[in-house]
Amino acid sequence: MTRDDLSEMLAEQTPACGPAREALLSGGTFEVWDGLVPADRLFHTYRTRLRITQKRGVATLGLIETVEIIEQAGDQAMRIGMVKTADRAWTFMLFLDAAATTVLACARGGRVQLEHD
């Protein structure tokens, strides 16, 4: 998969897809792993991550929508990837179909803002 291929696949699936595309086109790095993971296993993992971030008050981008999309995929096999911004400040998780021809969802985690006294 090329950078151009991936950038074309990042549309408006979730609110994080546009920023992931911008990061990719601005010199960010990307990787799509070869292995396949059942969507139901990903659902449990990312639903837990969503709960933890919400409990801690950490803002995310596209995580709610991503969890919903993964849940709807049932036991369908998915491929996972990521895009890192050029400054490595943000990582976007990508969820693709088994053939890696379509991005199904994209999410960016958040950061905890520490308060200073």
Side-chain angles (χ1 to χ4, degrees), residues 5-80:
D5 293 338
L6 183 55
S7 69
E8 287 179 20
M9 287 189 254
L10 287 163
E12 299 299 321
Q13 297 91 334
T14 69
C17 290
R21 184 175 192 270
E22 291 173 25
L24 186 62
L25 295 175
S26 299
T29 59
F30 76 97
E31 185 172 359
V32 175
W33 292 284
D34 289 330
L36 298 175
V37 181
D40 53 359
R41 189 165 50 160
L42 290 170
F43 169 70
H44 294 291
T45 300
Y46 283 88
R47 181 182 59 183
T48 300
R49 289 183 185 183
L50 176 60
R51 286 181 188 160
I52 291 169
T53 59
Q54 289 175 329
K55 183 177 179 179
R56 293 181 180 172
V58 177
T60 60
L61 183 62
L63 187 56
I64 292 170
E65 296 85 352
T66 294
V67 169
E68 291 170 356
I69 290 167
I70 293 170
E71 180 180 27
Q72 292 171 5
D75 63 355
Q76 173 185 341
M78 299 178 96
R79 200 172 296 272
I80 304 170

Side-chain angles (χ1 to χ4, degrees), residues 1 3-4 16 20 24 28-29 34 38 43 51 55 64 74 77 84 87 96 104-105 107-109 113-114:
M1 173 181 307
R3 178 179 303 276
D4 290 337
L24 186 62
T29 59
D34 289 330
F43 169 70
R51 286 181 188 160
K55 183 177 179 179
I64 292 170
K84 288 188 180 185
D87 63 2
L96 299 93
L104 304 171
R108 186 189 76 198
Q113 296 293 327
L114 299 177

